[in-house]
Amino acid sequence: MKARILNFCTPLLLILILASALSAARADSDDGIVRIRSAVPMAEAIIRIKADIAAKGIKFFTEIDQSKLAADAGIKLRPSTLLVFGNPPLGTQFITSNPNAGLDWPVRLLLTQDDNGDVWAVWTDFEWIARRHNITDRAAQFAMATKVVGSITSTIASK
């Protein structure tokens, strides 16, 4: 009898563990954040990304050194730099679909360093932005934005 109960409970326990792991992974991705680890230090990552943005003819709006702003306010912050860029003919299409999408455009790419010294490129997932603003008529444009940011961040994926 014990063997039968054990044979029944073991698969059930495995299913529960698997379901728990999957829901935890989904919860992590529900925030709309995409993170890619850089293979190069922060300064080089910024240089590579800005160079690739320029090479693609994408408009670069600004670079905000958040750690410097924090230091100027007497606050210690790990290295953190926000790059703002975009392609107005592409990005404004999201805003014409829903003006509130202007909260997420132009693209903001955060380069940050964690406690281990690893540098990360972080941005908001474009599919998540589409869902956030209930934009259903710009799938091709969101796919293009995803492809472009993937290409830009690929410049820091290897030494």
Side-chain angles (χ1 to χ4, degrees):
M1 180 70 169
K2 278 185 178 180
R4 290 176 99 184
I5 291 173
L6 191 57
N7 285 340
F8 175 75
C9 289
T10 301
L12 184 59
L13 182 60
L14 290 173
I15 289 171
L16 289 173
I17 290 170
L18 180 60
S20 173
L22 290 176
S23 67
R26 195 182 80 229
D28 288 346
S29 65
D30 282 349
D31 64 2
I33 302 297
V34 180
R35 293 171 29 108
I36 302 293
R37 186 187 334 233
S38 175
V40 298
M42 175 76 84
E44 186 175 343
I46 292 169
I47 289 167
R48 285 186 186 192
I49 287 173
K50 288 175 70 175
D52 194 63
I53 289 168
K56 286 179 169 51
I58 296 171
K59 185 168 181 61
F60 184 80
F61 294 105
T62 193
E63 175 180 341
I64 302 168
D65 184 340
Q66 296 173 328
S67 46
K68 182 181 179 329
L69 293 172
D72 291 347
I75 300 167
K76 183 169 175 54
L77 179 67
R78 295 183 311 241
S80 180
T81 299
L82 184 67
L83 304 177
V84 182
F85 59 92
N87 177 352
L90 177 62
T92 55
Q93 290 186 48
F94 306 116
I95 299 168
T96 61
S97 183
N98 181 344
N100 293 338
L103 291 168
D104 293 302
W105 300 100
V107 175
R108 288 176 287 288
L109 178 69
L110 178 66
L111 290 159
T112 187
Q113 186 172 328
D114 65 20
D115 289 335
N116 298 322
D118 292 325
V119 174
W120 296 87
V122 184
W123 69 94
T124 306
D125 176 67
F126 299 113
E127 288 182 20
W128 187 88
I129 292 171
R131 287 191 307 276
R132 175 182 185 192
H133 298 292
N134 195 29
I135 299 174
T136 58
D137 59 345
R138 302 287 192 267
Q141 292 85 352
F142 278 111
M144 177 59 71
T146 298
K147 181 179 176 182
V148 170
V149 171
S151 174
I152 290 168
T153 56
S154 73
T155 64
I156 63 171
S158 62
K159 296 227 181 228

